[in-house]
Amino acid sequence: MQKAKPTGAGDGGADRSTADSYIVALDQGTTSCRAVLVDSHGALIGMAQQEFAQHYPQPGWVEHDPLEILALQRAMFGRVLEQHGVPVSAVAAVGIANQRETTVVWDRHSGQPVHPAIVWQDRRTAPLCESLRKQGLEDLIRERTGLVVDAYFSATKIRWLLDNVPGLRARAGNGDLLFGTIDTWLIWNLTGGRVHATDVSNASRTMLYDIDKQRWDPELLQALKIPEALLPEVRDSAGNFGEMIYDGISIPITGVAGDQQAALFGHAAFERGMGKSTYGTGCFILMNTGDRPVVSRSGLLTTMAWRLNGRPCYALEGSVFIGGAAIQWLRDGLKIIQTAAESQALAECAGDAGEDVVVVPAFAGLGAPYWDMYARGAIFGLTLDTGREQIVRATLRSLAFQVRDVLDAMAADSGINLKTLRVDGGAAANDYLMQFQADQLDVPVERPAVIETTAMGAAGLAGLAAGFWDLKTWSALQSTERVFHPAGDAAVRHSRYQCWQKAVQRSAGWSK
Ligand code: ADP
C-alpha cells in the first residue's frame, strides 16, 4: 500500500515537507456533505458539496441513511480533488467536522447499520427524557455531562434503539454492535473498520460523558442501561484517528470535532473569553471558557470545545431558535422584502422614526436565558409612521438582542468578560446587523474572510496534528474581512436593550 507524504506529525510549525501537500476537511452537516480542500498555508482552495435525503417516518422523527452519508462523503472527497487536479497522494491529512449527537448503531462484523441514523432533531425520545427527569437524574446529568436532559443528545437515542429494534439488546450484550456519532461512523468505515473512536467534543454531546473526569460515566451508563462495549474510545481532537484508505492510498485522519466546536476552532477562538456566533436559521453561540468547565445557572450547556495534547478546553454553548428565520419570515410570511440581503438597505434608511419599535421573534417560544415555550412573537411600539423599514430594522435588531441575551448569560455564569465575537453564517453578511451587534455587546465583532469556518476548523485541527502549523500560526493565517467596532452613545444602546427586555416580558407566556 502506498503512503501519503510524511507529515512531520507533532512538531508544530509549518514544515517544508508540507509545502506541496494538502488537507481535506470532511464537513458532514445535517443536510449536506462537503469536502473542503485546504493548502499548507491554510488557504481554502475549493469545495465540493451535495445534499442528501432527510427522512421523516413519523411526526417528530428525523432519520438519515448512514450508508448514503458515507458514500456521499467519500464521493465529495474524490470530487474536490478532481476539481483541482490534486492527486490523492498529495493529501497529507484528513479532518472531520460533523453534525453532532446524531446516532448510528451498526454490526461490527458486517458493518451494516441496524437502523437508520436518528438525527439530533428527532424528538421520539422526549418521553424517555421525561422519565429520566422523574427518576431525579437531572442534576446528576448536568453535573457530569454539562447538559440538560433533552432528546437532542445521543444517550436516549441509543437506549431507544436497544429497546425497540428486535434482538438488539442481546447483540449488544454479545459485543456485536458499535455505536457512534457521525464522526465515529465515518472514521470506522474510512479506516476499514480498524478504528472505533471519537473526539472529546463529540463525546461531550452524548449525555454519557463525564466532561470533568473525561471518561464515559459508569453511573449514567447504568441508569440508561447502555453497555460500555458499544462506545468508542475518546481521543484528543487533534491526533491519530487511523488511516483512511482511498484508491489504495492511506491518508491519516488527524482532526475531529463536532460542527459548532469545529467552527470555534476555525475562528481561532483559542483564548478564554473569545466567542463565536453563527447566524443561520437559528444562531449558535459558543464562548471559550478555558481549561475548567463552567456550570451554567441560566440553562446554557457546558461542553468540551476540544482537547489538545491531553489538555481540555471547555466552552459554554447557547442557541437562539429564530435567527435568520425571522428574516425569512419578513420575506416569505409578511412579504415585505424580496431577498434577505435587502433587509440591510431598508434598515439603514429607517431613519429616526420608530426607534422604539421592537420585534420579538418568539415564534417557537424563547430559549436561553428565558426558557419560555409559551412566549409568542410580537411587535411593540407601532405608530402611524411605522413602515416596513422600521419593522425590518427591528427584526434585524432582534437577532442581535437575542445573541446578547445569551452572551450576557454566559458572562454572568462564568464571570468571564467577552473579549471579541467572531461571526459566520448567512446573516453575518449583513453589515447593519453586525454593527448593531457590536454596539450591543460593546466588543468588536470580527467577520472572517473565509466563512466556511466549520470545515476550516476541521482542517485546522487536522493540520495541527500533521505539523502544518501550530495554534499561533493557524491563528495568524485566519484573515479578517471586517471588524465592527462598538460605536454610538452608550446610554442610547443601553436604553434600546432595556426596551427589548420590556418587550420580551410582555410576550411571555402568551400562548398559555
Ligand atoms: P443555515 O445553515 O441554517 O441554513 P445559513 O448560514 O445558510 O443558514 O444562513 C441562512 C439564513 O441567513 C437565512 O435564514 C436567511 O434569512 C439569513 N440571511 C442570509 N443573508 C442575509 C442577509 N444579508 N441579511 C440578513 N439575513 C440573511
Side-chain angles (χ1 to χ4, degrees):
M1 184 173 299
Q2 209 180 328
K3 274 272 191 198
K5 270 185 193 302
T7 58
D11 61 359
D15 111 19
R16 214 177 278 271
S17 69
T18 62
D20 57 350
S21 53
Y22 297 84
I23 287 176
V24 174
L26 307 178
D27 178 3
Q28 203 300 303
T30 306
T31 57
S32 75
C33 291
R34 302 175 187 200
V36 164
L37 184 65
V38 173
D39 74 8
S40 58
H41 305 290
L44 190 151
I45 305 297
M47 179 172 83
Q49 174 177 13
Q50 198 171 314
E51 294 194 356
F52 58 90
Q54 308 287 316
H55 302 279
Y56 307 103
Q58 290 190 31
W61 292 30
V62 189
E63 296 179 349
H64 290 161
D65 176 356
L67 294 170
E68 183 188 5
I69 287 178
L70 173 65
L72 204 53
Q73 206 56 81
R74 267 193 217 275
M76 292 307 104
F77 177 87
R79 189 183 294 173
V80 78
L81 294 182
E82 200 180 290
Q83 278 168 359
H84 296 275
V86 171
V88 180
S89 58
V91 181
V94 167
I96 298 176
N98 57 289
Q99 54 167 322
R100 304 175 303 174
E101 298 117 12
T102 297
T103 296
V104 191
V105 172
W106 67 96
D107 185 301
R108 71 185 320 149
H109 311 293
S110 69
Q112 289 299 307
V114 300
H115 190 272
I118 304 184
V119 179
W120 59 273
Q121 298 148 321
D122 189 295
R123 305 305 298 167
R124 80 184 66 182
T125 58
L128 199 49
C129 290
E130 195 48 50
S131 87
L132 294 177
R133 275 186 225 109
K134 285 213 181 94
Q135 287 172 51
L137 286 168
E138 218 167 355
D139 288 346
L140 182 75
I141 288 177
R142 174 173 281 288
E143 184 196 310
R144 297 282 159 83
T145 69
L147 305 175
V148 297
V149 177
D150 195 276
Y152 276 141
F153 308 113
S154 318
T156 58
K157 299 181 196 291
I158 304 174
R159 170 65 184 271
W160 186 93
L161 289 169
L162 292 174
D163 287 350
N164 288 277
V165 180
L168 221 59
R169 195 162 277 288
R171 286 164 74 190
N174 294 339
D176 292 334
L177 301 179
L178 299 174
F179 150 79
T181 39
I182 295 289
D183 55 314
T184 304
W185 165 250
L186 291 175
I187 293 165
W188 191 84
N189 280 285
L190 296 174
T191 61
R194 283 184 190 83
V195 178
H196 183 225
T198 189
D199 92 298
V200 290
S201 73
N202 277 294
S204 72
R205 313 299 297 190
T206 56
M207 215 170 83
L208 295 170
Y209 193 66
D210 182 332
I211 57 172
D212 200 20
K213 295 208 175 76
Q214 293 171 60
R215 57 164 198 189
W216 298 116
D217 186 83
E219 255 178 279
L220 291 178
L221 290 175
Q222 199 175 24
L224 276 136
K225 299 198 178 70
I226 294 174
E228 188 163 0
L230 276 178
L231 306 179
E233 184 191 326
V234 184
R235 301 188 179 179
D236 281 3
S237 312
N240 173 17
F241 288 89
E243 309 256 321
M244 164 177 174
I245 298 147
Y246 192 92
D247 274 355
I249 297 176
S250 73
I251 313 141
I253 302 172
T254 57
V256 176
D259 51 12
Q260 298 305 320
Q261 287 95 330
L264 191 69
F265 196 93
H267 278 297
F270 299 143
E271 286 167 44
R272 197 167 170 260
M274 290 174 97
K276 75 97 190 168
S277 179
T278 301
Y279 298 81
T281 311
C283 301
F284 289 92
I285 302 133
L286 257 78
M287 181 169 84
N288 182 330
T289 61
D291 57 6
R292 300 289 315 152
V294 170
V295 180
S296 172
R297 291 176 302 274
S298 326
L300 300 170
L301 306 178
T302 309
T303 200
M304 299 198 68
W306 46 73
R307 193 175 69 199
L308 304 174
N309 296 319
R311 283 200 300 276
C313 177
Y314 294 87
L316 277 170
E317 173 171 331
S319 49
V320 167
F321 303 148
I322 305 289
I327 311 303
Q328 278 165 260
W329 168 73
L330 295 176
R331 189 192 61 194
D332 307 335
L334 287 189
K335 299 188 170 51
I336 57 172
I337 53 174
Q338 273 170 358
T339 64
E342 192 194 344
S343 62
Q344 180 178 326
L346 284 167
E348 281 165 351
C349 68
D352 292 335
E355 268 297 350
D356 55 1
V357 173
V358 178
V359 171
V360 182
F363 303 135
L366 287 169
Y370 307 107
W371 295 113
D372 180 354
M373 60 177 159
Y374 302 107
R376 285 296 175 270
I379 306 180
F380 296 92
L382 300 178
T383 54
L384 276 176
D385 59 358
T386 306
R388 67 177 183 137
E389 293 86 351
Q390 289 74 32
I391 291 177
V392 168
R393 180 175 63 187
T395 307
L396 281 172
R397 287 179 177 180
S398 75
L399 272 68
F401 288 133
Q402 293 180 92
V403 170
R404 173 174 173 178
D405 286 337
V406 171
L407 285 162
D408 281 1
M410 287 179 176
D413 285 342
S414 65
I416 303 168
N417 288 326
L418 183 72
K419 284 195 185 120
T420 166
L421 184 72
R422 298 196 164 151
V423 298
D424 60 280
N430 192 301
D431 294 345
Y432 176 83
L433 172 60
M434 293 301 105
Q435 183 59 53
F436 194 78
Q437 187 72 80
D439 298 348
Q440 278 301 315
L441 295 171
D442 209 18
V443 300
V445 166
E446 299 180 6
R447 187 167 63 196
V450 176
I451 56 156
E452 291 298 330
T453 39
T454 302
M456 288 307 278
L461 285 165
L464 186 68
F468 273 54
W469 40 68
D470 56 19
L471 291 183
K472 226 167 123 195
T473 5
W474 172 254
S475 192
L477 290 169
Q478 305 314 304
S479 52
T480 305
E481 180 254 330
R482 184 160 168 193
V483 183
F484 297 85
H485 293 283
D489 184 341
V492 173
R493 295 189 248 155
H494 181 64
S495 79
R496 289 204 175 119
Y497 187 62
Q498 283 183 315
C499 207
W500 158 258
Q501 289 183 309
K502 189 160 88 180
V504 167
Q505 267 170 25
R506 301 215 173 160
S507 55
W510 183 261
S511 67
K512 216 172 203 165

